[in-house]
Amino acid sequence: MAESSASRGRRAVIIGALMALLVSGCTPETPKPPPSSDSGQTPAPSGSSRSPSKSSAPEEPPVLFTAQGDIGIGSSARKVLSSIAKIKPQLNLALGDFTYEPGIEQQFCDMVTEKLGSEFPYQLVAGNHESDGHDGDIANFVKCLPNRLPGLEGEYGTQWYVDVPQKNPLVRIIMVSPGIKFRDGQPLDYSKDSARWRWTADALDEAKSRKIPWTVVGMHTPCFNLGAYECQPGEAFTNMLIEKKADLVLSGHQHIYQRTHQLGLSRDCADVVPESFSRQCLAETDDTMVQGRGTVFAGVGIGGVGLHEVREDDPEVGYFAAWSGKNRKATYGTLKVTVTRDSLAAELVPAEGSFTDSFEITR
């Protein structure tokens, strides 16, 4: 039977609709544009959603310094300066007694700058040989070896402190001059509650309040020692340093190396008394110590001039962990101190002789 015209019209509409659907299904999807980079953000790598590790931040660089006293201008002094140059510290603490001869301050300064450079911070505090001018004058030494550290407070060469580094410091270094005579023939007054006593105590307290991790005190004369000298800085001044929890106290004067255990005050040790020994005043006797328990005293009078003998029968010997002198492993050298936020580590570096020592205080 012949197909009607109406049927043929409906079939054409159906076929047209089916062809349109077929064509639309085969047309590829238009690609989406990449995310805009106007925000400045870099897309995360595919398959990784971790944020950068905190450990990737650069480590805080340590402070490295050296210290020694009683130097002279002979061959041993030059060897010690050469050893300092090899260590490459950021600064050096010269703990007094420089030339042992009058009128040759410039010669001493030239020797130092020849070995360490004219801009190196070779930081001075007076010893008894130059405090009163009889073997050189501290005023002349500070002219030819001036302060090179920013932010120094006080009277350079006599009584001063500085924070290192200046921004976000790791250590406050406090240099004082108790127990030695100046031009008027009298020692500076560091007696209890004197102006210089308070200045030192305030410098220690302020370092703690500013949360500077470490405090180091330097001076020419020691209190505790295995030689012939008495406690020239004074018993009360020395116990104040312990009470204020100075971490390390450096000195020269006695031409030996001598380093105590950590000495601390407590209910059983109200004061550390010179020329005697009390076991109760030993806060820690290991070579690795904990900050806050006490103070380590290190005498580094081995910078180059003739050595003294150690008195191993000294009543204070129980306070000491290590020593060297003319009659026991004679050695010239320098103390190398490395300070980080978490530790203060010290090592005796020999320049002539072979005696060594090391200790560490941790937070």
Side-chain angles (χ1 to χ4, degrees), residues 80-161:
V80 172
L81 288 170
S82 294
S83 73
I84 295 170
K86 289 179 182 177
I87 293 169
K88 297 182 180 179
Q90 290 151 261
L91 66 138
N92 180 82
L93 301 180
L95 301 167
D97 284 6
F98 305 131
T99 58
Y100 291 83
E101 293 182 38
I104 59 170
E105 293 95 330
Q106 189 62 54
Q107 182 179 340
F108 179 86
C109 296
D110 290 345
M111 177 183 73
V112 170
T113 56
E114 177 189 343
K115 295 287 186 180
L116 301 177
S118 60
E119 299 300 314
F120 177 77
Y122 189 86
Q123 302 292 118
L124 306 177
V125 73
N128 60 290
H129 277 265
E130 57 274 344
S131 59
D132 63 359
H134 76 276
D135 271 345
D137 192 320
I138 187 60
N140 293 331
F141 286 109
V142 300
K143 288 178 183 177
C144 56
L145 289 171
N147 168 53
R148 302 288 185 189
L149 296 176
L152 183 141
E153 298 283 345
E155 183 185 355
Y156 178 63
T158 303
Q159 178 177 283
W160 54 271
Y161 73 80

Side-chain angles (χ1 to χ4, degrees), residues 268-269 271 273 276-282 319:
D268 298 320
C269 176
D271 293 289
V273 180
S276 66
F277 173 67
S278 172
R279 190 171 298 278
Q280 284 70 35
C281 298
L282 294 174
Y319 289 136

Side-chain angles (χ1 to χ4, degrees), residues 68-318:
Q68 70 298 127
D70 308 277
I71 298 159
I73 56 170
S75 61
S76 297
R78 294 176 185 276
K79 289 178 182 178
V80 172
L81 288 170
S82 294
S83 73
I84 295 170
K86 289 179 182 177
I87 293 169
K88 297 182 180 179
Q90 290 151 261
L91 66 138
N92 180 82
L93 301 180
L95 301 167
D97 284 6
F98 305 131
T99 58
Y100 291 83
E101 293 182 38
I104 59 170
E105 293 95 330
Q106 189 62 54
Q107 182 179 340
F108 179 86
C109 296
D110 290 345
M111 177 183 73
V112 170
T113 56
E114 177 189 343
K115 295 287 186 180
L116 301 177
S118 60
E119 299 300 314
F120 177 77
Y122 189 86
Q123 302 292 118
L124 306 177
V125 73
N128 60 290
H129 277 265
E130 57 274 344
S131 59
D132 63 359
H134 76 276
D135 271 345
D137 192 320
I138 187 60
N140 293 331
F141 286 109
V142 300
K143 288 178 183 177
C144 56
L145 289 171
N147 168 53
R148 302 288 185 189
L149 296 176
L152 183 141
E153 298 283 345
E155 183 185 355
Y156 178 63
T158 303
Q159 178 177 283
W160 54 271
Y161 73 80
V162 69
D163 299 332
V164 185
Q166 187 177 23
K167 183 179 180 181
N168 299 323
L170 293 176
V171 59
R172 171 166 288 187
I173 297 170
I174 305 167
M175 303 289 272
V176 290
S177 295
I180 55 176
K181 296 178 180 178
F182 281 75
R183 285 198 175 277
D184 58 1
Q186 297 296 319
L188 301 180
D189 185 7
Y190 285 88
S191 62
K192 188 171 183 178
D193 294 326
S194 65
R196 291 181 181 275
W197 162 293
R198 290 195 303 273
W199 183 94
T200 309
D202 289 347
L204 288 164
D205 287 342
E206 188 195 34
K208 301 295 184 186
S209 69
R210 290 188 56 199
K211 301 189 184 306
I212 298 173
W214 302 98
T215 51
V216 173
V217 178
M219 64 188 79
H220 181 61
T221 58
C223 179
F224 311 112
N225 73 94
L226 298 177
Y229 294 124
E230 60 185 10
C231 178
Q232 289 179 241
E235 179 180 339
F237 182 78
T238 302
N239 277 282
M240 181 270 288
L241 301 179
I242 301 173
E243 181 183 5
K244 296 291 184 183
K245 300 187 185 301
D247 296 300
L248 176 63
V249 176
L250 300 168
S251 64
H253 196 45
Q254 194 79 58
H255 301 183
I256 62 178
Y257 176 78
Q258 48 187 348
R259 191 260 299 179
T260 71
H261 298 294
Q262 201 175 31
L263 308 184
L265 305 182
S266 65
R267 182 178 60 184
D268 298 320
C269 176
D271 293 289
V272 184
V273 180
E275 301 300 326
S276 66
F277 173 67
S278 172
R279 190 171 298 278
Q280 284 70 35
C281 298
L282 294 174
E284 182 61 77
T285 57
D286 292 337
D287 289 339
T288 300
M289 296 158 271
V290 176
Q291 186 185 51
R293 293 183 180 176
T295 301
V296 176
F297 293 80
V300 199
I302 54 173
V305 83
L307 297 173
H308 294 164
E309 292 192 352
V310 177
R311 291 173 50 187
E312 295 183 317
D313 60 348
D314 191 282
E316 296 173 348
V317 72

